[in-house]
Amino acid sequence: MRNFSLMIMGEVKRPGMVEVPKSGSFFEIFTSMGGFNPRAATSKVRLTRKGQTVVLDMRNLMADGSIKLVGAGKGIVDGETVKAEPGDILVVEQN
């Protein structure tokens, strides 16, 4: 896979475009952005992919790298193996 960037908006230390590592790991992406702000609603991070939006629970992302899919959305992403894809937009709301 070639290099690409994605947009992260909201309650992160350094919002904006970030280059995605070859692994596609959201842990690596958020680490490179400085992590979440203290008021970030990490249990309801919105991922928009190919015109569809799902909610991801990233409360444990910085601790153990885990992400859970909240509600429907199977087929769009798999919470167990979710990786960044070209065109993704992440929005971290304020708690």
Side-chain angles (χ1 to χ4, degrees):
M1 179 180 284
R2 67 180 224 282
N3 290 354
F4 64 93
S5 296
L6 63 81
M7 173 66 76
I8 299 180
M9 298 182 284
E11 295 298 312
V12 293
K13 301 284 186 192
R14 292 185 304 274
M17 294 296 288
V18 62
E19 188 166 323
V20 175
K22 289 197 184 298
S23 68
S25 161
F26 281 114
F27 173 77
E28 290 181 49
I29 292 166
F30 277 90
T31 299
S32 75
M33 303 279 301
F36 297 102
N37 287 334
R39 297 189 64 188
T42 55
S43 65
K44 48 188 175 187
V45 176
R46 288 184 291 133
L47 167 64
T48 301
R49 177 175 288 170
K50 298 176 184 162
Q52 295 183 289
T53 300
V54 294
V55 177
L56 303 173
D57 181 345
M58 293 188 169
R59 283 180 285 196
N60 294 321
L61 179 67
M62 302 312 284
D64 64 16
S66 68
I67 297 173
K68 293 180 184 161
L69 182 61
V70 178
K74 290 291 184 197
I76 302 166
V77 297
D78 176 356
E80 299 298 313
T81 60
V82 65
K83 301 284 185 198
E85 292 184 6
D88 282 356
I89 300 172
L90 287 166
V91 178
V92 181
E93 300 286 339
Q94 188 177 61
N95 227 353

